[in-house]
mmCIF file with all atom_site columns, all heavy atoms in Angstrom:
data_model
loop_
_atom_site.group_PDB
_atom_site.id
_atom_site.type_symbol
_atom_site.label_atom_id
_atom_site.label_alt_id
_atom_site.label_comp_id
_atom_site.label_asym_id
_atom_site.label_entity_id
_atom_site.label_seq_id
_atom_site.pdbx_PDB_ins_code
_atom_site.Cartn_x
_atom_site.Cartn_y
_atom_site.Cartn_z
_atom_site.occupancy
_atom_site.B_iso_or_equiv
_atom_site.pdbx_formal_charge
_atom_site.auth_seq_id
_atom_site.auth_comp_id
_atom_site.auth_asym_id
_atom_site.auth_atom_id
_atom_site.pdbx_PDB_model_num
ATOM 1   N N   . ILE A 1 393 ? 11.137  11.122 17.337 1.00 86.00 ? 1476 ILE A N   1
ATOM 2   C CA  . ILE A 1 393 ? 10.448  11.175 18.620 1.00 86.00 ? 1476 ILE A CA  1
ATOM 3   C C   . ILE A 1 393 ? 10.372  12.569 19.192 1.00 86.00 ? 1476 ILE A C   1
ATOM 4   O O   . ILE A 1 393 ? 9.406   12.886 19.912 1.00 86.00 ? 1476 ILE A O   1
ATOM 5   C CB  . ILE A 1 393 ? 11.209  10.189 19.603 1.00 86.00 ? 1476 ILE A CB  1
ATOM 6   C CG1 . ILE A 1 393 ? 10.307  9.974  20.893 1.00 86.00 ? 1476 ILE A CG1 1
ATOM 7   C CG2 . ILE A 1 393 ? 12.558  10.757 19.987 1.00 86.00 ? 1476 ILE A CG2 1
ATOM 8   C CD1 . ILE A 1 393 ? 10.794  8.856  21.745 1.00 86.00 ? 1476 ILE A CD1 1
ATOM 9   N N   . MET A 1 394 ? 11.264  13.428 18.855 1.00 87.00 ? 1477 MET A N   1
ATOM 10  C CA  . MET A 1 394 ? 11.165  14.841 19.293 1.00 87.00 ? 1477 MET A CA  1
ATOM 11  C C   . MET A 1 394 ? 9.971   15.559 18.680 1.00 87.00 ? 1477 MET A C   1
ATOM 12  O O   . MET A 1 394 ? 9.227   16.286 19.316 1.00 87.00 ? 1477 MET A O   1
ATOM 13  C CB  . MET A 1 394 ? 12.431  15.587 18.962 1.00 87.00 ? 1477 MET A CB  1
ATOM 14  C CG  . MET A 1 394 ? 13.647  15.139 19.741 1.00 87.00 ? 1477 MET A CG  1
ATOM 15  S SD  . MET A 1 394 ? 13.469  15.538 21.548 1.00 87.00 ? 1477 MET A SD  1
ATOM 16  C CE  . MET A 1 394 ? 13.610  17.353 21.499 1.00 87.00 ? 1477 MET A CE  1
ATOM 17  N N   . ALA A 1 395 ? 9.741   15.280 17.341 1.00 85.00 ? 1478 ALA A N   1
ATOM 18  C CA  . ALA A 1 395 ? 8.599   15.849 16.667 1.00 85.00 ? 1478 ALA A CA  1
ATOM 19  C C   . ALA A 1 395 ? 7.305   15.332 17.229 1.00 85.00 ? 1478 ALA A C   1
ATOM 20  O O   . ALA A 1 395 ? 6.324   16.062 17.429 1.00 85.00 ? 1478 ALA A O   1
ATOM 21  C CB  . ALA A 1 395 ? 8.709   15.633 15.129 1.00 85.00 ? 1478 ALA A CB  1
ATOM 22  N N   . LEU A 1 396 ? 7.253   14.004 17.444 1.00 89.00 ? 1479 LEU A N   1
ATOM 23  C CA  . LEU A 1 396 ? 6.053   13.419 18.035 1.00 89.00 ? 1479 LEU A CA  1
ATOM 24  C C   . LEU A 1 396 ? 5.740   14.003 19.399 1.00 89.00 ? 1479 LEU A C   1
ATOM 25  O O   . LEU A 1 396 ? 4.565   14.386 19.736 1.00 89.00 ? 1479 LEU A O   1
ATOM 26  C CB  . LEU A 1 396 ? 6.232   11.908 18.183 1.00 89.00 ? 1479 LEU A CB  1
ATOM 27  C CG  . LEU A 1 396 ? 6.169   11.088 16.925 1.00 89.00 ? 1479 LEU A CG  1
ATOM 28  C CD1 . LEU A 1 396 ? 6.693   9.691  17.140 1.00 89.00 ? 1479 LEU A CD1 1
ATOM 29  C CD2 . LEU A 1 396 ? 4.685   11.030 16.396 1.00 89.00 ? 1479 LEU A CD2 1
ATOM 30  N N   . GLN A 1 397 ? 6.741   14.130 20.210 1.00 91.00 ? 1480 GLN A N   1
ATOM 31  C CA  . GLN A 1 397 ? 6.582   14.700 21.585 1.00 91.00 ? 1480 GLN A CA  1
ATOM 32  C C   . GLN A 1 397 ? 6.089   16.134 21.523 1.00 91.00 ? 1480 GLN A C   1
ATOM 33  O O   . GLN A 1 397 ? 5.160   16.499 22.258 1.00 91.00 ? 1480 GLN A O   1
ATOM 34  C CB  . GLN A 1 397 ? 7.898   14.659 22.307 1.00 91.00 ? 1480 GLN A CB  1
ATOM 35  C CG  . GLN A 1 397 ? 7.865   15.135 23.725 1.00 91.00 ? 1480 GLN A CG  1
ATOM 36  C CD  . GLN A 1 397 ? 9.158   14.914 24.466 1.00 91.00 ? 1480 GLN A CD  1
ATOM 37  O OE1 . GLN A 1 397 ? 9.300   13.965 25.218 1.00 91.00 ? 1480 GLN A OE1 1
ATOM 38  N NE2 . GLN A 1 397 ? 10.136  15.764 24.219 1.00 91.00 ? 1480 GLN A NE2 1
ATOM 39  N N   . ALA A 1 398 ? 6.639   16.940 20.631 1.00 91.00 ? 1481 ALA A N   1
ATOM 40  C CA  . ALA A 1 398 ? 6.199   18.349 20.520 1.00 91.00 ? 1481 ALA A CA  1
ATOM 41  C C   . ALA A 1 398 ? 4.760   18.448 20.069 1.00 91.00 ? 1481 ALA A C   1
ATOM 42  O O   . ALA A 1 398 ? 4.024   19.207 20.603 1.00 91.00 ? 1481 ALA A O   1
ATOM 43  C CB  . ALA A 1 398 ? 7.097   19.085 19.498 1.00 91.00 ? 1481 ALA A CB  1
ATOM 44  N N   . ASP A 1 399 ? 4.371   17.666 19.060 1.00 89.00 ? 1482 ASP A N   1
ATOM 45  C CA  . ASP A 1 399 ? 3.010   17.677 18.607 1.00 89.00 ? 1482 ASP A CA  1
ATOM 46  C C   . ASP A 1 399 ? 2.042   17.245 19.704 1.00 89.00 ? 1482 ASP A C   1
ATOM 47  O O   . ASP A 1 399 ? 0.942   17.788 19.842 1.00 89.00 ? 1482 ASP A O   1
ATOM 48  C CB  . ASP A 1 399 ? 2.866   16.762 17.406 1.00 89.00 ? 1482 ASP A CB  1
ATOM 49  C CG  . ASP A 1 399 ? 3.451   17.341 16.088 1.00 89.00 ? 1482 ASP A CG  1
ATOM 50  O OD1 . ASP A 1 399 ? 3.827   18.518 16.169 1.00 89.00 ? 1482 ASP A OD1 1
ATOM 51  O OD2 . ASP A 1 399 ? 3.600   16.674 15.096 1.00 89.00 ? 1482 ASP A OD2 1
ATOM 52  N N   . LEU A 1 400 ? 2.379   16.206 20.387 1.00 93.00 ? 1483 LEU A N   1
ATOM 53  C CA  . LEU A 1 400 ? 1.460   15.663 21.433 1.00 93.00 ? 1483 LEU A CA  1
ATOM 54  C C   . LEU A 1 400 ? 1.323   16.683 22.584 1.00 93.00 ? 1483 LEU A C   1
ATOM 55  O O   . LEU A 1 400 ? 0.240   16.886 23.067 1.00 93.00 ? 1483 LEU A O   1
ATOM 56  C CB  . LEU A 1 400 ? 2.056   14.336 21.978 1.00 93.00 ? 1483 LEU A CB  1
ATOM 57  C CG  . LEU A 1 400 ? 1.899   13.214 20.938 1.00 93.00 ? 1483 LEU A CG  1
ATOM 58  C CD1 . LEU A 1 400 ? 2.765   12.016 21.393 1.00 93.00 ? 1483 LEU A CD1 1
ATOM 59  C CD2 . LEU A 1 400 ? 0.478   12.727 20.774 1.00 93.00 ? 1483 LEU A CD2 1
ATOM 60  N N   . LEU A 1 401 ? 2.407   17.312 22.984 1.00 92.00 ? 1484 LEU A N   1
ATOM 61  C CA  . LEU A 1 401 ? 2.267   18.314 24.080 1.00 92.00 ? 1484 LEU A CA  1
ATOM 62  C C   . LEU A 1 401 ? 1.463   19.519 23.613 1.00 92.00 ? 1484 LEU A C   1
ATOM 63  O O   . LEU A 1 401 ? 0.639   20.042 24.417 1.00 92.00 ? 1484 LEU A O   1
ATOM 64  C CB  . LEU A 1 401 ? 3.702   18.755 24.489 1.00 92.00 ? 1484 LEU A CB  1
ATOM 65  C CG  . LEU A 1 401 ? 4.508   17.740 25.235 1.00 92.00 ? 1484 LEU A CG  1
ATOM 66  C CD1 . LEU A 1 401 ? 5.924   18.258 25.473 1.00 92.00 ? 1484 LEU A CD1 1
ATOM 67  C CD2 . LEU A 1 401 ? 3.869   17.455 26.630 1.00 92.00 ? 1484 LEU A CD2 1
ATOM 68  N N   . GLY A 1 402 ? 1.619   19.927 22.308 1.00 91.00 ? 1485 GLY A N   1
ATOM 69  C CA  . GLY A 1 402 ? 0.818   20.995 21.821 1.00 91.00 ? 1485 GLY A CA  1
ATOM 70  C C   . GLY A 1 402 ? -0.664  20.635 21.773 1.00 91.00 ? 1485 GLY A C   1
ATOM 71  O O   . GLY A 1 402 ? -1.534  21.449 22.124 1.00 91.00 ? 1485 GLY A O   1
ATOM 72  N N   . ALA A 1 403 ? -0.998  19.408 21.327 1.00 90.00 ? 1486 ALA A N   1
ATOM 73  C CA  . ALA A 1 403 ? -2.358  18.989 21.294 1.00 90.00 ? 1486 ALA A CA  1
ATOM 74  C C   . ALA A 1 403 ? -2.971  18.874 22.677 1.00 90.00 ? 1486 ALA A C   1
ATOM 75  O O   . ALA A 1 403 ? -4.140  19.227 22.888 1.00 90.00 ? 1486 ALA A O   1
ATOM 76  C CB  . ALA A 1 403 ? -2.445  17.594 20.566 1.00 90.00 ? 1486 ALA A CB  1
ATOM 77  N N   . HIS A 1 404 ? -2.180  18.443 23.657 1.00 92.00 ? 1487 HIS A N   1
ATOM 78  C CA  . HIS A 1 404 ? -2.653  18.332 25.038 1.00 92.00 ? 1487 HIS A CA  1
ATOM 79  C C   . HIS A 1 404 ? -2.999  19.729 25.553 1.00 92.00 ? 1487 HIS A C   1
ATOM 80  O O   . HIS A 1 404 ? -4.035  19.941 26.227 1.00 92.00 ? 1487 HIS A O   1
ATOM 81  C CB  . HIS A 1 404 ? -1.614  17.655 25.856 1.00 92.00 ? 1487 HIS A CB  1
ATOM 82  C CG  . HIS A 1 404 ? -2.093  17.314 27.275 1.00 92.00 ? 1487 HIS A CG  1
ATOM 83  N ND1 . HIS A 1 404 ? -2.006  18.291 28.279 1.00 92.00 ? 1487 HIS A ND1 1
ATOM 84  C CD2 . HIS A 1 404 ? -2.648  16.248 27.811 1.00 92.00 ? 1487 HIS A CD2 1
ATOM 85  C CE1 . HIS A 1 404 ? -2.516  17.798 29.360 1.00 92.00 ? 1487 HIS A CE1 1
ATOM 86  N NE2 . HIS A 1 404 ? -2.847  16.515 29.120 1.00 92.00 ? 1487 HIS A NE2 1
ATOM 87  N N   . ALA A 1 405 ? -2.120  20.666 25.232 1.00 90.00 ? 1488 ALA A N   1
ATOM 88  C CA  . ALA A 1 405 ? -2.345  22.036 25.722 1.00 90.00 ? 1488 ALA A CA  1
ATOM 89  C C   . ALA A 1 405 ? -3.668  22.622 25.207 1.00 90.00 ? 1488 ALA A C   1
ATOM 90  O O   . ALA A 1 405 ? -4.306  23.488 25.813 1.00 90.00 ? 1488 ALA A O   1
ATOM 91  C CB  . ALA A 1 405 ? -1.172  22.925 25.367 1.00 90.00 ? 1488 ALA A CB  1
ATOM 92  N N   . LEU A 1 406 ? -4.072  22.126 24.004 1.00 89.00 ? 1489 LEU A N   1
ATOM 93  C CA  . LEU A 1 406 ? -5.314  22.679 23.351 1.00 89.00 ? 1489 LEU A CA  1
ATOM 94  C C   . LEU A 1 406 ? -6.524  21.792 23.685 1.00 89.00 ? 1489 LEU A C   1
ATOM 95  O O   . LEU A 1 406 ? -7.614  22.038 23.205 1.00 89.00 ? 1489 LEU A O   1
ATOM 96  C CB  . LEU A 1 406 ? -5.123  22.711 21.809 1.00 89.00 ? 1489 LEU A CB  1
ATOM 97  C CG  . LEU A 1 406 ? -4.103  23.688 21.319 1.00 89.00 ? 1489 LEU A CG  1
ATOM 98  C CD1 . LEU A 1 406 ? -3.789  23.595 19.830 1.00 89.00 ? 1489 LEU A CD1 1
ATOM 99  C CD2 . LEU A 1 406 ? -4.549  25.182 21.653 1.00 89.00 ? 1489 LEU A CD2 1
ATOM 100 N N   . GLY A 1 407 ? -6.326  20.786 24.536 1.00 90.00 ? 1490 GLY A N   1
ATOM 101 C CA  . GLY A 1 407 ? -7.456  20.041 25.029 1.00 90.00 ? 1490 GLY A CA  1
ATOM 102 C C   . GLY A 1 407 ? -7.644  18.625 24.501 1.00 90.00 ? 1490 GLY A C   1
ATOM 103 O O   . GLY A 1 407 ? -8.600  17.938 24.928 1.00 90.00 ? 1490 GLY A O   1
ATOM 104 N N   . LEU A 1 408 ? -6.815  18.094 23.626 1.00 92.00 ? 1491 LEU A N   1
ATOM 105 C CA  . LEU A 1 408 ? -6.949  16.755 23.176 1.00 92.00 ? 1491 LEU A CA  1
ATOM 106 C C   . LEU A 1 408 ? -6.351  15.772 24.166 1.00 92.00 ? 1491 LEU A C   1
ATOM 107 O O   . LEU A 1 408 ? -5.218  15.968 24.599 1.00 92.00 ? 1491 LEU A O   1
ATOM 108 C CB  . LEU A 1 408 ? -6.235  16.582 21.824 1.00 92.00 ? 1491 LEU A CB  1
ATOM 109 C CG  . LEU A 1 408 ? -6.445  15.285 21.099 1.00 92.00 ? 1491 LEU A CG  1
ATOM 110 C CD1 . LEU A 1 408 ? -7.895  15.028 20.758 1.00 92.00 ? 1491 LEU A CD1 1
ATOM 111 C CD2 . LEU A 1 408 ? -5.610  15.215 19.828 1.00 92.00 ? 1491 LEU A CD2 1
ATOM 112 N N   . ARG A 1 409 ? -7.133  14.796 24.550 1.00 94.00 ? 1492 ARG A N   1
ATOM 113 C CA  . ARG A 1 409 ? -6.705  13.858 25.600 1.00 94.00 ? 1492 ARG A CA  1
ATOM 114 C C   . ARG A 1 409 ? -6.527  12.417 25.169 1.00 94.00 ? 1492 ARG A C   1
ATOM 115 O O   . ARG A 1 409 ? -5.876  11.635 25.809 1.00 94.00 ? 1492 ARG A O   1
ATOM 116 C CB  . ARG A 1 409 ? -7.719  13.908 26.757 1.00 94.00 ? 1492 ARG A CB  1
ATOM 117 C CG  . ARG A 1 409 ? -7.708  15.280 27.517 1.00 94.00 ? 1492 ARG A CG  1
ATOM 118 C CD  . ARG A 1 409 ? -6.403  15.521 28.207 1.00 94.00 ? 1492 ARG A CD  1
ATOM 119 N NE  . ARG A 1 409 ? -6.364  16.717 28.978 1.00 94.00 ? 1492 ARG A NE  1
ATOM 120 C CZ  . ARG A 1 409 ? -5.963  17.933 28.510 1.00 94.00 ? 1492 ARG A CZ  1
ATOM 121 N NH1 . ARG A 1 409 ? -5.510  18.011 27.269 1.00 94.00 ? 1492 ARG A NH1 1
ATOM 122 N NH2 . ARG A 1 409 ? -5.957  18.997 29.227 1.00 94.00 ? 1492 ARG A NH2 1
ATOM 123 N N   . ARG A 1 410 ? -7.220  12.027 24.077 1.00 95.00 ? 1493 ARG A N   1
ATOM 124 C CA  . ARG A 1 410 ? -7.239  10.602 23.739 1.00 95.00 ? 1493 ARG A CA  1
ATOM 125 C C   . ARG A 1 410 ? -6.419  10.345 22.473 1.00 95.00 ? 1493 ARG A C   1
ATOM 126 O O   . ARG A 1 410 ? -6.689  10.942 21.426 1.00 95.00 ? 1493 ARG A O   1
ATOM 127 C CB  . ARG A 1 410 ? -8.621  10.074 23.617 1.00 95.00 ? 1493 ARG A CB  1
ATOM 128 C CG  . ARG A 1 410 ? -9.509  10.253 24.867 1.00 95.00 ? 1493 ARG A CG  1
ATOM 129 C CD  . ARG A 1 410 ? -10.878 9.889  24.674 1.00 95.00 ? 1493 ARG A CD  1
ATOM 130 N NE  . ARG A 1 410 ? -11.670 10.311 25.798 1.00 95.00 ? 1493 ARG A NE  1
ATOM 131 C CZ  . ARG A 1 410 ? -12.260 11.522 25.869 1.00 95.00 ? 1493 ARG A CZ  1
ATOM 132 N NH1 . ARG A 1 410 ? -12.176 12.340 24.822 1.00 95.00 ? 1493 ARG A NH1 1
ATOM 133 N NH2 . ARG A 1 410 ? -12.926 11.877 26.987 1.00 95.00 ? 1493 ARG A NH2 1
ATOM 134 N N   . ILE A 1 411 ? -5.469  9.438  22.564 1.00 95.00 ? 1494 ILE A N   1
ATOM 135 C CA  . ILE A 1 411 ? -4.576  9.159  21.447 1.00 95.00 ? 1494 ILE A CA  1
ATOM 136 C C   . ILE A 1 411 ? -4.491  7.694  21.209 1.00 95.00 ? 1494 ILE A C   1
ATOM 137 O O   . ILE A 1 411 ? -4.404  6.854  22.197 1.00 95.00 ? 1494 ILE A O   1
ATOM 138 C CB  . ILE A 1 411 ? -3.152  9.665  21.772 1.00 95.00 ? 1494 ILE A CB  1
ATOM 139 C CG1 . ILE A 1 411 ? -3.054  11.126 22.052 1.00 95.00 ? 1494 ILE A CG1 1
ATOM 140 C CG2 . ILE A 1 411 ? -2.199  9.269  20.590 1.00 95.00 ? 1494 ILE A CG2 1
ATOM 141 C CD1 . ILE A 1 411 ? -3.443  11.991 20.836 1.00 95.00 ? 1494 ILE A CD1 1
ATOM 142 N N   . ILE A 1 412 ? -4.711  7.247  19.949 1.00 96.00 ? 1495 ILE A N   1
ATOM 143 C CA  . ILE A 1 412 ? -4.448  5.841  19.538 1.00 96.00 ? 1495 ILE A CA  1
ATOM 144 C C   . ILE A 1 412 ? -3.111  5.752  18.921 1.00 96.00 ? 1495 ILE A C   1
ATOM 145 O O   . ILE A 1 412 ? -2.814  6.460  17.954 1.00 96.00 ? 1495 ILE A O   1
ATOM 146 C CB  . ILE A 1 412 ? -5.560  5.403  18.574 1.00 96.00 ? 1495 ILE A CB  1
ATOM 147 C CG1 . ILE A 1 412 ? -6.941  5.521  19.203 1.00 96.00 ? 1495 ILE A CG1 1
ATOM 148 C CG2 . ILE A 1 412 ? -5.324  3.923  18.171 1.00 96.00 ? 1495 ILE A CG2 1
ATOM 149 C CD1 . ILE A 1 412 ? -8.099  5.251  18.223 1.00 96.00 ? 1495 ILE A CD1 1
ATOM 150 N N   . CYS A 1 413 ? -2.251  4.892  19.468 1.00 94.00 ? 1496 CYS A N   1
ATOM 151 C CA  . CYS A 1 413 ? -0.884  4.768  18.976 1.00 94.00 ? 1496 CYS A CA  1
ATOM 152 C C   . CYS A 1 413 ? -0.783  3.719  17.915 1.00 94.00 ? 1496 CYS A C   1
ATOM 153 O O   . CYS A 1 413 ? -1.205  2.562  18.103 1.00 94.00 ? 1496 CYS A O   1
ATOM 154 C CB  . CYS A 1 413 ? 0.011   4.390  20.155 1.00 94.00 ? 1496 CYS A CB  1
ATOM 155 S SG  . CYS A 1 413 ? -0.052  5.595  21.502 1.00 94.00 ? 1496 CYS A SG  1
ATOM 156 N N   . GLU A 1 414 ? -0.190  4.091  16.815 1.00 92.00 ? 1497 GLU A N   1
ATOM 157 C CA  . GLU A 1 414 ? 0.040   3.184  15.699 1.00 92.00 ? 1497 GLU A CA  1
ATOM 158 C C   . GLU A 1 414 ? 1.472   3.305  15.119 1.00 92.00 ? 1497 GLU A C   1
ATOM 159 O O   . GLU A 1 414 ? 1.990   4.428  15.062 1.00 92.00 ? 1497 GLU A O   1
ATOM 160 C CB  . GLU A 1 414 ? -0.924  3.438  14.526 1.00 92.00 ? 1497 GLU A CB  1
ATOM 161 C CG  . GLU A 1 414 ? -2.397  3.261  14.837 1.00 92.00 ? 1497 GLU A CG  1
ATOM 162 C CD  . GLU A 1 414 ? -3.265  3.371  13.597 1.00 92.00 ? 1497 GLU A CD  1
ATOM 163 O OE1 . GLU A 1 414 ? -3.312  2.408  12.826 1.00 92.00 ? 1497 GLU A OE1 1
ATOM 164 O OE2 . GLU A 1 414 ? -3.731  4.488  13.344 1.00 92.00 ? 1497 GLU A OE2 1
ATOM 165 N N   . THR A 1 415 ? 2.051   2.180  14.724 1.00 87.00 ? 1498 THR A N   1
ATOM 166 C CA  . THR A 1 415 ? 3.315   2.281  14.058 1.00 87.00 ? 1498 THR A CA  1
ATOM 167 C C   . THR A 1 415 ? 3.124   2.936  12.705 1.00 87.00 ? 1498 THR A C   1
ATOM 168 O O   . THR A 1 415 ? 3.872   3.829  12.278 1.00 87.00 ? 1498 THR A O   1
ATOM 169 C CB  . THR A 1 415 ? 3.930   0.869  13.927 1.00 87.00 ? 1498 THR A CB  1
ATOM 170 O OG1 . THR A 1 415 ? 4.140   0.331  15.212 1.00 87.00 ? 1498 THR A OG1 1
ATOM 171 C CG2 . THR A 1 415 ? 5.286   0.973  13.211 1.00 87.00 ? 1498 THR A CG2 1
ATOM 172 N N   . GLY A 1 416 ? 2.106   2.458  11.978 1.00 80.00 ? 1499 GLY A N   1
ATOM 173 C CA  . GLY A 1 416 ? 1.804   3.055  10.692 1.00 80.00 ? 1499 GLY A CA  1
ATOM 174 C C   . GLY A 1 416 ? 2.705   2.538  9.585  1.00 80.00 ? 1499 GLY A C   1
ATOM 175 O O   . GLY A 1 416 ? 3.794   1.953  9.839  1.00 80.00 ? 1499 GLY A O   1
ATOM 176 N N   . THR A 1 417 ? 2.261   2.790  8.346  1.00 71.00 ? 1500 THR A N   1
ATOM 177 C CA  . THR A 1 417 ? 3.030   2.395  7.162  1.00 71.00 ? 1500 THR A CA  1
ATOM 178 C C   . THR A 1 417 ? 2.977   3.575  6.158  1.00 71.00 ? 1500 THR A C   1
ATOM 179 O O   . THR A 1 417 ? 1.893   4.045  5.875  1.00 71.00 ? 1500 THR A O   1
ATOM 180 C CB  . THR A 1 417 ? 2.376   1.169  6.528  1.00 71.00 ? 1500 THR A CB  1
ATOM 181 O OG1 . THR A 1 417 ? 2.306   0.134  7.561  1.00 71.00 ? 1500 THR A OG1 1
ATOM 182 C CG2 . THR A 1 417 ? 3.244   0.646  5.380  1.00 71.00 ? 1500 THR A CG2 1
#
Side-chain angles (χ1 to χ4, degrees):
I1476 193 167
M1477 290 295 289
L1479 285 166
Q1480 181 173 260
D1482 286 349
L1483 290 166
L1484 288 173
H1487 186 275
L1489 293 172
L1491 187 62
R1492 293 294 182 268
R1493 300 176 192 89
I1494 302 294
I1495 301 172
C1496 301
E1497 296 187 84
T1498 301
T1500 305

